[in-house]
Amino acid sequence: MTALLKHPGYDEEKLRRVAEQLPCREVQAGLLLSLMGEPQQYSYPSIFIYGHRASGKSHVLHVLLKELELHHATVSCVECVSVALLFEQVLLSFFGCDAASLLPHSPSLSDFVRIYRQQRSQSPAKQTRYIVMEKAELLRDSDANLLPALLRLQELVEDNVTVILLSEIVWDKFRPNTGCFEPLLLHFPDYSKGELQQILSQDRHPSYSAEFYSSYINILLGVFYSVCRDLRELQHLAALNFSKFCEPLEEGKVKETDTHKLWRNIEPHLKKAMQTVYLREVSSLQWEQMQLMEEKEAGALRGLSAHTHVELPFYSKFLLIAAYLASYNPARTDKRFFLKHHGKIRKTNFLKKNEKTSNHLLGPKPFPLDRLLAIFYSVVDSRVAPTASIFSQISSLVTLQLLTQVSHDDQLDAPKYKCAVSLDFICAISRTVNFDIVKYLYDFL
């Protein structure tokens, strides 16, 4: 591995430590090191590094800068919400607090260049200075002259400085319309399945053999690789589900070599965990606790993702309940369920020849918006004014695909919807707000 990182300007021991920290990214690290050159040499003014999320861009660059002890300033474009913060961060990293304090309250690009050149003359660079811009795609929303200036900052400040942009989008979508200095491009491809296997297997549990943990990673990738290539997400999933994988082994039911039995035990658990890929509504500890509760309650929430109903707003839950009632109850039964002093009405009085089949077997029926709101105001306990928040929550339920809009977009006066959730799902939702939905369903009278 170290052969790919040999460079005459750097110590071989440091390069060896760098290579050890960059598994499966030695080629990209070697290319980047070649672009950067020796520390005392003038480097190229700007380098653009792009690739998908968790493809090693930031990690490779920061390991190189840290282990090789190169002078650098790291700027997060997410945190620096204004150009003033960006300029301050660069001056602070290179020249200290006194230089950063020279910036005016609302500095312009000219102010930054002027102060940088003053400080550079007092503290000339003995080696290349690097400015690392993370999440650089956000620079497209900044001042029109900022990105072109950063790309040729070396010329503006007359200093040995290189700006390195890290982004998840390609340069063609990044380039300003007015034209600018073209940076050197370096692409970081996604990790292959074999590379992910190699990297994830390095985090093995000390209580188990390397072969055992590698077989676990192979099973994990067999389930998740088709839907998730994100290294950080896979690391999180591997750590989260390993204890479940080891349960039969700790109980003495199987041996480490019984891969098939271990697979059959972990398969349902991994399929359920697929519902939470890329989501962080719950912590790892809460996820494990929810799995234990589901096992003890013998499937009370069977088939449901626990984050789905817990994270819905309070009134959204009642809107979803009202939508379910409107979809599965005949419209003429609303008086029976939601109007006080309606008198005693038996179900047999409602039955017709074509209603002998359960509404749940026929599927959800469309309902107008006014009927949804009428049921909602009847079932919710507190008095709720018809505000824009209620209507926006209906739109959110449609976006989450819990409701389906069946009318055309141009029918603004009378939109119609269908409820798209199952009976088990809505029963779980109802339990969280202490509402007995079965008493309001026509099929269960």
Side-chain angles (χ1 to χ4, degrees), residues 7-20:
H7 197 283
Y10 300 98
D11 181 65
E12 290 188 3
E13 178 62 24
K14 292 182 178 179
L15 292 175
R16 185 188 62 80
R17 291 200 302 268
V18 168
E20 290 176 352

Side-chain angles (χ1 to χ4, degrees), residues 42-54:
Y42 261 73
S43 180
Y44 200 76
S46 53
I47 301 173
F48 183 82
I49 303 176
Y50 65 102
H52 289 155
R53 182 176 181 268

Side-chain angles (χ1 to χ4, degrees), residues 6 110 117 127 129 148 224 233 236 249 269 286 370 385:
K6 284 187 176 180
S110 299
R117 296 182 67 166
Q127 61 181 24
R129 295 184 173 112
F224 289 101
E233 185 70 21
H236 172 76
L249 197 63
H269 188 75
Q286 288 172 328
D370 55 354

Side-chain angles (χ1 to χ4, degrees), residues 242-280:
F242 185 64
S243 59
K244 186 71 177 178
F245 182 72
C246 297
E247 275 184 4
L249 197 63
E250 295 174 352
E251 295 171 359
K253 296 180 180 179
V254 299
K255 298 179 181 179
E256 284 191 9
T257 55
D258 295 333
T259 308
H260 183 66
K261 293 181 179 179
L262 291 168
W263 159 247
R264 285 190 301 173
N265 176 70
I266 194 66
E267 182 184 15
H269 188 75
L270 292 181
K271 287 184 177 179
K272 188 177 294 184
M274 285 186 71
Q275 301 173 11
T276 62
V277 173
Y278 294 114
L279 297 178
R280 289 292 182 271

Side-chain angles (χ1 to χ4, degrees), residues 99-200:
S101 63
L102 297 176
L103 284 170
H105 181 66
S106 298
S108 63
L109 180 62
S110 299
D111 294 325
F112 170 70
V113 171
R114 174 179 52 81
I115 295 173
Y116 190 108
R117 296 182 67 166
Q118 290 176 355
Q119 299 299 315
R120 181 262 307 160
S121 61
Q122 299 174 9
S123 302
K126 298 180 181 179
Q127 61 181 24
T128 306
R129 295 184 173 112
Y130 296 96
I131 301 176
V132 181
M133 309 293 296
E134 296 184 334
K135 297 289 183 183
E137 56 267 17
L138 297 178
L139 291 174
R140 297 181 300 170
D141 301 326
S142 301
D143 297 340
N145 63 344
L146 179 61
L147 179 59
L150 289 174
L151 292 173
R152 58 192 313 162
L153 186 64
Q154 185 180 105
E155 177 185 344
L156 294 175
V157 299
E158 298 179 354
D159 189 28
N160 186 7
V161 59
T162 295
V163 176
I164 301 178
L165 306 175
L166 302 179
S167 177
E168 296 180 15
I169 64 175
V170 297
W171 175 246
D172 290 338
K173 295 183 178 181
F174 202 103
R175 185 186 289 107
N177 295 329
T178 55
C180 63
F181 183 83
E182 293 288 323
L184 292 177
L185 306 183
L186 179 58
H187 177 233
F188 274 59
D190 289 339
Y191 290 106
S192 67
K193 189 175 182 179
E195 291 172 339
L196 289 172
Q197 172 84 28
Q198 178 182 340
I199 297 171
L200 293 171

